Amino acid sequence: MPPLQGLRVLDLARVLACPFSAMILAELGAEVIKVEQPGSGDESRTYEPVAERNGQRDSAYFFACNRGKRSVTVNLRHKDGQALVRDLIRHCDAVVENFPTGTLNRYGLDWEALRAINPRLVMLSCTGFGQTGPYARRKGYDTVFQAMSGLLALTGERGGGPVKPGLPIADLTSGLWITIGLLAALRGRDATGQGAYIDFSMLDGQVALLTSAAARFFALNEVPPRLGTEHPGRVPTASFKCSDGRFLHITCSDQHWAPLCRALGLADLGADPALQANAERVAQRERVMAGITAAMAKLTRAEAVALLDAVAVPNGPVLTIDETFADPHVQARGSVGEFTHPLLGAFPALRLPYRFDGLADPEIQRPPLLGEDTEAVLRDLLRYSQAQIETLRAEGAI
Amino acid sequence: MTDAVLYECNDGLADPEIQRPPLLGEDTEAVLRDLLQYSPAQIETLRAEGAI
């Protein structure tokens, strides 16, 4: 049995963070009903990159965060559409939304309205800055929260400007926070019998991830400088350029220092009593880094990996994503699979990173076509008659 | 100084509160005694043997 079988979630959200969370819940076995605007749907259905197969086109961006869901089109500006969502709420355990603060009040779909309909409901509102505070009405996207949380300022080369990570990490980690919050609230709901509302802010989510950087500030009053791939408190930990132009990342604790030096032919460094402890190497960072940088430059990446693996020094080649997907371990773990899209056919997808024993493993499912499940959900779940459905359609409510 | 509260469950469930990390082994005796119902003699034996 999938772990979340029997759970029904209403996905009133768009674009990335909340849809990513709802997709995780879906592939863990929840029934996720995604409510989309008739005609256009989630705006990410138009986002690039576009996949083209069999003469058909669709957004691979949308695919990435919406697999396993049912799509129901509802016009939230239409009073009958709003009533339809309230009907759906009666049948749902949780709802996730990311409208600007106050929008759902105008639709009669705010927490107070929905909890009156379903007292066991868990509702999560995801906004940029939360429902309260001086920035509550401000809007933002992933990079805004990266910037305002300090993450951008922490990231980049020594002496250079801030650098954005290669992924929308604020959106994606928000999706994980949202999933944790929903599951925690559902667990609490099961204990108390009462639903709950969760005000989640993407900026809060990023601030909460500062962890080790915050620890340096709290303990040392230090604002960590940008150090590229180096670590502020551990030396040597960095990516080094090899003779073939490829990079190898090494991370080294005290027990790895002597084997590392032996493997790289750095006998003097390895034997120096003043470099045996990490704190000493941090104090002599430039000397250590210069020695290892010079040694690595004489080896191809494959040679360096072989040498360091032989002495159990943690290392990882800095791979491009095509190399990652081709990696034999990634392939053996089945991290990449595929779904069959009704129009495009087979298309690759990333599996959820869980391998269950005792519960069914998550399986890659396909994303829905826009409104693909509208009629089935209204007919089978809400027991609307065919005439009701036709009326809603004629009125533009679905 | 405190971090911002990440989730505000202002209805139905208590908000998460910042808690403190444990001292090393701070709860060994309490867990063995209260959860596992080990006797003081058992706990002392385990300690003397270097098992805890």
Side-chain angles (χ1 to χ4, degrees), chain A residues 221-246:
Chain A
N221 204 30
E222 172 191 310
V223 175
R226 288 189 281 275
L227 292 175
T229 61
E230 292 183 52
H231 191 290
R234 180 179 290 188
V235 174
T237 286
S239 297
F240 295 93
K241 192 173 187 179
C242 300
S243 63
D244 53 5
R246 296 178 162 201

Side-chain angles (χ1 to χ4, degrees), chain A residues 111 115 177 181 185 195-200 204-205 218, chain B residues 1-13 15:
Chain A
W111 169 236
R115 77 190 298 196
W177 280 127
Y197 176 75
I198 306 170
D199 164 12
F200 172 74
D204 290 353
F218 296 155
Chain B
M1 175 176 285
T2 59
D3 284 325
V5 173
L6 180 57
Y7 301 107
E8 294 208 357
C9 302
N10 49 12
D11 271 300
L13 292 168
D15 274 345

Side-chain angles (χ1 to χ4, degrees), chain A residues 290-349:
Chain A
I292 296 175
T293 299
M296 294 290 284
K298 296 173 186 166
L299 301 166
T300 66
R301 186 171 73 185
E303 289 169 343
V305 168
L307 284 170
L308 298 185
D309 279 351
V311 294
V313 171
N315 71 91
V318 178
L319 302 180
T320 53
I321 65 168
D322 56 329
E323 293 174 313
T324 298
F325 294 149
D327 184 274
H329 185 82
V330 172
Q331 293 196 343
R333 294 286 294 172
S335 300
V336 181
E338 65 179 28
F339 59 80
T340 302
H341 188 275
L343 303 178
L344 278 71
F347 195 82

Side-chain angles (χ1 to χ4, degrees), chain A residues 6-11 30-35 70-72 74 83-94 118 121 373-386 388-389 392:
Chain A
L7 204 65
R8 185 177 290 124
V9 178
L10 197 64
D11 177 4
E31 178 187 354
V32 176
I33 298 173
K34 183 178 180 72
V35 170
R70 310 180 80 188
S71 171
V72 171
V74 182
L84 196 163
V85 171
R86 287 191 284 273
D87 280 346
L88 285 168
I89 286 293
R90 295 179 215 283
H91 297 270
C92 287
D93 297 282
N118 181 354
L121 183 71
D373 303 286
T374 305
E375 192 155 326
V377 169
L378 270 57
R379 184 186 62 228
D380 301 335
L381 181 66
L382 302 185
R383 303 291 182 189
Y384 285 11
S385 69
Q386 200 60 40
Q388 281 177 292
I389 295 171
L392 288 169

Side-chain angles (χ1 to χ4, degrees), chain A residues 38-377:
Chain A
S40 54
D42 184 330
E43 54 260 52
S44 71
R45 285 185 180 273
T46 64
Y47 287 4
E48 65 86 34
V50 172
E52 294 194 53
R53 304 272 201 285
N54 304 325
Q56 302 284 338
R57 295 163 51 86
D58 212 337
S59 168
Y61 186 109
F62 179 81
F63 291 172
C65 294
N66 288 284
R67 300 191 310 265
K69 303 178 186 179
R70 310 180 80 188
S71 171
V72 171
T73 50
V74 182
N75 182 355
L76 296 180
R77 294 184 185 85
H78 193 292
K79 65 177 176 49
D80 291 342
Q82 295 160 6
L84 196 163
V85 171
R86 287 191 284 273
D87 280 346
L88 285 168
I89 286 293
R90 295 179 215 283
H91 297 270
C92 287
D93 297 282
V95 57
V96 58
E97 63 92 9
N98 64 348
F99 287 95
T101 303
T103 302
L104 287 183
N105 293 62
R106 293 203 299 276
Y107 297 157
L109 300 173
D110 55 284
W111 169 236
E112 292 303 328
L114 299 187
R115 77 190 298 196
I117 296 168
N118 181 354
R120 285 177 55 81
L121 183 71
V122 166
M123 180 173 188
L124 186 142
S125 294
C126 170
T127 54
F129 298 94
Q131 303 292 319
T132 60
Y135 301 156
R137 299 277 170 180
R138 252 174 107 159
K139 294 178 180 172
Y141 289 102
D142 169 83
T143 44
V144 168
F145 312 122
Q146 290 189 37
M148 293 180 69
S149 68
L151 177 61
L152 279 191
L154 288 167
T155 308
E157 291 297 336
R158 190 191 298 271
V163 169
K164 182 180 82 64
L167 286 167
I169 206 70
D171 275 325
L172 294 171
T173 54
S174 288
L176 300 180
W177 280 127
I178 291 163
T179 306
I180 295 166
L182 284 170
L183 293 176
L186 286 164
R187 176 70 183 88
R189 185 279 307 263
D190 288 346
T192 66
Q194 293 296 311
Y197 176 75
I198 306 170
D199 164 12
F200 172 74
S201 138
M202 292 179 65
L203 180 61
D204 290 353
Q206 291 311 289
V207 172
L209 290 177
L210 290 175
T211 56
S212 53
R216 299 193 74 80
F217 182 73
F218 296 155
L220 309 173
N221 204 30
E222 172 191 310
V223 175
R226 288 189 281 275
L227 292 175
T229 61
E230 292 183 52
H231 191 290
R234 180 179 290 188
V235 174
T237 286
S239 297
F240 295 93
K241 192 173 187 179
C242 300
S243 63
D244 53 5
R246 296 178 162 201
F247 287 83
L248 182 66
H249 194 85
I250 297 172
T251 183
C252 184
S253 297
D254 284 346
Q255 71 267 29
H256 306 120
W257 173 242
L260 172 71
C261 290
R262 278 200 307 275
L264 296 181
L266 298 170
D268 290 349
L269 281 182
D272 188 334
L275 293 176
Q276 299 308 303
N278 179 63
E280 296 163 337
R281 296 192 297 276
V282 170
Q284 298 195 54
R285 178 188 293 269
E286 288 181 14
R287 180 181 165 215
V288 171
M289 289 297 295
I292 296 175
T293 299
M296 294 290 284
K298 296 173 186 166
L299 301 166
T300 66
R301 186 171 73 185
E303 289 169 343
V305 168
L307 284 170
L308 298 185
D309 279 351
V311 294
V313 171
N315 71 91
V318 178
L319 302 180
T320 53
I321 65 168
D322 56 329
E323 293 174 313
T324 298
F325 294 149
D327 184 274
H329 185 82
V330 172
Q331 293 196 343
R333 294 286 294 172
S335 300
V336 181
E338 65 179 28
F339 59 80
T340 302
H341 188 275
L343 303 178
L344 278 71
F347 195 82
L350 305 179
R351 268 189 61 180
L352 295 190
Y354 307 113
R355 308 291 181 265
F356 286 106
D357 191 355
L359 289 165
D361 269 347
E363 287 189 13
I364 292 172
Q365 300 175 44
R366 72 168 176 88
L369 301 176
L370 177 60
E372 180 176 348
D373 303 286
T374 305
E375 192 155 326
V377 169

